């Protein structure tokens, strides 16, 4: 659904000004949006996965690990597809309060695409270089958006999500390097076309929510603090946006589940071009491994 039609509908949880802000600037930041009860449920299940990771020695389909991860000192970069792994995460992704938020920004017919939990571990959890998301998983239009939930209080030192306001209206960048290797990051030589001075760091207390459009330039610095910064991320799209290429979501049962309304009968095309990513049907590792130039699994 087009932004102008979304804006004509009565919102559920956002104000009209917040919705207008999202469409104008490409992002939202909602302080303390998620209830304590939900945060406690999510924390309990997350603690269990961290505990289980002690037995894991190599990154796999579930756990993306920093190279120095060990049983004594776990260092998770990402829990892949949490909604596929546990009923609490699944309920949150398909029926939780962020689905109202998605409907307010996408219209009545909403699809879930994928989820991830980026930990950015204490004392050195890795940076995420400047990038846009849609080149990783192209769709027929640019409605897809990602909703992040901070699972701890996040300060400046912890590598909060940084976004460049309004950049969703600008160009899509090439995320391959000059030798045609996929890096998943905007080339250093092209960063002068990004308004880096305008960056907004979306720090916030536990339960705060970030929303970013799939075209917006964003990234985050290393975690220099003594606390881990788990950020639970879910991507949703308008039902009329169809995935075009193999992607991170393929093969997962919940991918493309309708969470509100009904499936689209007509797909909607946005004429603006999109970069074609590598053929992920041969395997996808993670943005961290790709940007840090580790071998794909
Ligand atoms: O975890 C973060 O700070 C950023 C995550 C992100 O941009 C991504 O996973 O695409």
């Amino acid at each position: 659904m087009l932004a102008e039609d979304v804006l004509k509908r009565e919102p559920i949880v956002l104000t009209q000004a917040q919705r207008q802000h999202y469409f104008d600037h490409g992002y939202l930041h909602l302080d303390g949006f998620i209830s304590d009860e939900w945060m406690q449920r999510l924390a309990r299940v997350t603690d269990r996965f961290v505990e289980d990771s002690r037995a894991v020695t190599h990154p796999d389909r579930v756990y993306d690990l920093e190279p120095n991860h060990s049983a004594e000192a776990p260092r998770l970069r990402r829990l892949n597809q949490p909604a596929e792994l546990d009923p609490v995460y699944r309920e949150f992704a398909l029926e939780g309060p962020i689905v109202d938020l998605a409907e307010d920004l996408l219209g009545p017919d909403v699809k879930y695409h994928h989820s991830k939990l980026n930990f950015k571990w204490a004392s050195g959890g890795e940076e995420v270089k400047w990038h846009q998301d849609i080149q990783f998983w192209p769709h027929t239009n640019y409605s897809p958006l990602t909703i992040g939930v901070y699972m701890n209080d996040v300060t400046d030192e912890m590598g909060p999500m940084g976004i460049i306001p309004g950049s969703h209206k600008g160009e899509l960048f090439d995320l391959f390097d000059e030798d045609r290797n996929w890096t998943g990051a905007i080339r250093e030589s092209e960063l002068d076309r990004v308004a880096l001075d305008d960056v907004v760091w979306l720090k916030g207390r536990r339960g705060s929510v970030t929303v970013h459009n799939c075209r917006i330039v964003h990234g985050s610095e290393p975690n220099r603090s003594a606390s881990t910064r788990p950020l639970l991320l879910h991507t949703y799209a308008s039902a009329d946006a169809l995935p075009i290429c193999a992607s991170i979501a393929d093969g997962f049962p919940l991918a493309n589940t309708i969470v509100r309304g009904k499936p689209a009968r007509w797909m909607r095309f946005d004429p603006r071009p999109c970069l074609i990513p590598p053929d992920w049907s041969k395997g996808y590792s993670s943005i961290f491994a790709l940007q840090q130039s580790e071998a794909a699994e």
Side-chain angles (χ1 to χ4, degrees), residues 78 116 118 120 128 131 133 159-161 212 218-220 229 231 233 287-288:
R78 174 181 279 181
K116 53 210 175 194
N118 286 354
K120 206 181 278 270
V128 177
H131 69 283
D133 290 335
M161 167 84 80
H212 67 272
H218 62 290
S220 56
R229 187 228 64 173
L231 174 60
L233 296 154
I287 191 169
F288 294 99

Side-chain angles (χ1 to χ4, degrees), residues 139-179:
H139 280 61
T140 56
N141 62 58
Y142 295 106
S143 67
L145 53 78
T146 297
I147 300 178
V149 179
Y150 282 134
M151 298 187 59
N152 287 340
D153 293 349
V154 174
T155 60
D156 281 329
E157 298 70 46
M158 292 168 75
M161 167 84 80
I163 57 90
I164 309 299
S167 54
H168 66 307
K169 293 186 174 166
E171 65 184 299
L172 281 189
F173 286 86
D174 192 342
L175 305 185
F176 289 87
D177 67 13
E178 287 77 358
D179 300 321

Side-chain angles (χ1 to χ4, degrees), residues 17-174:
Q18 286 170 321
R19 297 206 295 182
Q20 192 65 57
H21 183 280
Y22 169 77
F23 290 115
D24 290 347
H25 303 286
Y27 77 99
L28 276 180
H29 183 232
L30 303 170
D31 184 55
F33 183 78
I34 307 295
S35 68
D36 265 358
E37 189 194 334
W38 258 118
M39 293 316 299
Q40 282 164 18
R41 290 179 70 195
L42 292 168
R44 273 197 295 275
V45 58
T46 303
D47 288 348
R48 213 181 61 231
F49 277 98
V50 172
E51 215 34 51
D52 290 354
S53 79
R54 291 178 189 274
V56 182
T57 50
H58 289 93
D60 58 25
R61 237 169 105 84
V62 173
Y63 292 105
D64 178 18
L65 306 171
E66 288 187 15
N68 54 351
H69 169 86
S70 69
E72 301 71 44
R75 290 193 70 86
L76 270 62
R77 287 193 295 210
R78 174 181 279 181
L79 185 67
N80 288 315
Q81 307 287 359
E84 307 278 352
L85 300 175
D86 182 275
V88 174
Y89 287 136
R90 183 160 51 248
E91 185 186 334
F92 189 73
L94 305 186
E95 298 165 38
I98 57 173
V99 183
D100 288 338
L101 186 50
E103 182 177 338
D104 275 355
L105 298 173
L106 294 168
D109 303 322
V110 180
K111 262 190 324 187
Y112 162 86
H113 187 249
H114 74 277
S115 61
K116 53 210 175 194
L117 172 48
N118 286 354
F119 280 92
K120 206 181 278 270
W121 212 263
S123 312
E126 285 160 6
E127 71 172 327
V128 177
K129 295 178 186 165
W130 298 112
H131 69 283
Q132 294 152 310
D133 290 335
I134 197 65
Q135 297 92 320
F136 287 77
W137 24 262
H139 280 61
T140 56
N141 62 58
Y142 295 106
S143 67
L145 53 78
T146 297
I147 300 178
V149 179
Y150 282 134
M151 298 187 59
N152 287 340
D153 293 349
V154 174
T155 60
D156 281 329
E157 298 70 46
M158 292 168 75
M161 167 84 80
I163 57 90
I164 309 299
S167 54
H168 66 307
K169 293 186 174 166
E171 65 184 299
L172 281 189
F173 286 86
D174 192 342

Side-chain angles (χ1 to χ4, degrees), residues 130 173-181 183-194:
W130 298 112
F173 286 86
D174 192 342
L175 305 185
F176 289 87
D177 67 13
E178 287 77 358
D179 300 321
R180 293 281 177 93
N181 301 306
T183 61
I186 299 174
R187 297 176 190 176
E188 289 282 325
S189 59
E190 299 193 344
L191 281 175
D192 58 353
R193 304 210 298 268
V194 178

